Amino acid sequence: MKTLLKKLLVPHHLEYLALDKHFLIQETSLKVQRFSDCPEEVVADNDVRIPFPELVGTEEILIDLFERRLPNFELKAIARVLGNGSRLYFDMYIVEFTNDDNYQRLIIFFEDVTDRMALEQTLVQATNEMDILLSTLAATNNYVEKIITSMAEVLLVTTASGKIKKVNQAAQDLFGYSESELVGQHIDVLAAVGASLQAVSQNPPQQSQTNTEVNCRAKNGEKLTVSFSCTAISTDIQGISGSGVAVQDFVYIGRDVTDRQRARKRKITQYLTTGIL
């Protein structure tokens, strides 16, 4: 038999062996033994299923290849545990080959895919870790969202320029606006004529933490008095170049004191009336 290597243009990274119709090894490349479960069994006239037990049960497929009922057959990601404990992964490609002398053989090509499998496993692990991180982040955001929604106090989050980014349900209920109507608007849209909500954020840090009563107006025109405190939150946003940009948002917490303010005005009025009388 002529050496198949002289007949086939086999890429240097592939190893191969040739079989006859009885599945007996007829020829091997130099390093094909490293893919075998029993390297010492990879010798001429040995049954290929001994060193490569993965082929047990594929006999009908191999016959179909010999009879040319199938063009090829593949076994992917076969694993071997080496003596040092590391893993070897390889693919097997099986095709029928007939030379010029009508000498028929099955050729099994072996390709080392250990690096590819390691990369795929790394990518899968990274994807799983990212999924866990995203699930945790989503759960945390959901938890924070529930806390914000359940707050009895009004919550407004704005940019440094006063543009509204977030409102909670209490704010929507008090002012009569939906979230979509408020987000993107300037916070002073909620203030009465002559008043300013953004001015609360301009107070000195110590004073911003204390409550400041602001005259507001609801969507239906109702006049409201809301006691607000304001806190600045700084966030660093990383750009594509890796440089950080400091961004400052403001969180307003408000409590409706309209009834208390009206009651106080009534008492003052009563006191003045009594004094006059």
Side-chain angles (χ1 to χ4, degrees), residues 159-163 186-188 196-203 252:
T159 63
S161 62
K163 184 177 294 185
H186 195 277
I187 192 171
D188 280 343
S196 174
L197 254 173
Q198 189 182 15
V200 179
S201 67
Q202 308 304 317
N203 293 335
Y252 296 79

Side-chain angles (χ1 to χ4, degrees), residues 42-60:
V42 185
V43 293
D45 296 327
N46 259 14
D47 192 315
V48 73
R49 291 168 291 187
I50 298 174
F52 296 98
E54 295 80 14
L55 294 174
V56 174
T58 65
E59 291 81 2
E60 291 186 5

Side-chain angles (χ1 to χ4, degrees), residues 20-239:
D20 64 11
K21 289 188 176 182
H22 303 290
F23 313 132
L24 300 180
I25 299 173
Q26 298 300 304
E27 184 179 337
T28 67
S29 60
L30 292 177
K31 299 180 181 180
V32 72
Q33 290 86 354
R34 73 188 189 95
F35 297 102
S36 172
D37 191 45
C38 304
E40 66 278 3
E41 296 293 340
V42 185
V43 293
D45 296 327
N46 259 14
D47 192 315
V48 73
R49 291 168 291 187
I50 298 174
F52 296 98
E54 295 80 14
L55 294 174
V56 174
T58 65
E59 291 81 2
E60 291 186 5
I61 294 175
L62 299 180
I63 292 172
D64 285 342
L65 290 171
F66 266 115
E67 301 296 333
R68 299 180 181 176
R69 290 190 290 268
L70 282 178
N72 56 68
F73 178 65
E74 299 178 2
L75 289 173
K76 296 284 192 177
I78 301 170
R80 293 272 188 265
V81 179
L82 304 180
N84 59 5
S86 62
R87 287 182 175 270
L88 169 69
Y89 293 92
F90 62 94
D91 293 342
M92 296 172 60
Y93 306 89
I94 309 175
V95 296
E96 183 271 340
F97 175 76
T98 303
N99 66 7
D100 298 337
D101 301 327
N102 210 26
Y103 201 83
Q104 190 179 33
R105 290 287 181 265
L106 279 189
I107 310 300
I108 303 179
F109 294 100
F110 299 84
E111 181 180 10
D112 187 341
V113 295
T114 303
D115 292 341
R116 188 187 72 197
M117 290 299 297
L119 177 60
E120 289 180 0
Q121 290 174 359
T122 300
L123 291 175
V124 169
Q125 182 178 357
T127 301
N128 291 338
E129 291 175 354
M130 182 60 70
D131 288 342
I132 293 173
L133 179 61
L134 291 176
S135 297
T136 303
L137 182 60
T140 302
N141 288 341
N142 186 45
Y143 180 69
V144 172
E145 190 68 28
K146 288 181 178 179
I147 293 176
I148 293 174
T149 302
S150 64
M151 286 178 59
E153 291 81 7
V154 168
L155 180 138
L156 303 166
V157 181
T158 74
T159 63
S161 62
K163 184 177 294 185
I164 298 174
K165 296 175 62 176
K166 177 70 177 176
V167 300
N168 68 345
Q169 188 60 48
Q172 298 174 59
D173 294 339
L174 178 62
F175 294 105
Y177 292 96
S178 66
E179 184 174 15
S180 60
E181 289 176 309
L182 290 176
V183 171
Q185 297 292 327
H186 195 277
I187 192 171
D188 280 343
V189 73
L190 300 174
V193 177
S196 174
L197 254 173
Q198 189 182 15
V200 179
S201 67
Q202 308 304 317
N203 293 335
Q206 298 83 358
Q207 189 174 348
S208 294
Q209 298 296 328
T210 60
N211 290 337
T212 302
E213 292 185 357
V214 181
N215 293 325
C216 300
R217 185 178 296 275
K219 183 178 180 180
N220 61 6
E222 180 185 0
K223 294 181 180 180
L224 302 168
T225 303
V226 184
S227 179
F228 278 101
S229 64
C230 182
T231 303
I233 298 178
S234 297
T235 304
D236 289 334
I237 298 178
Q238 294 294 328

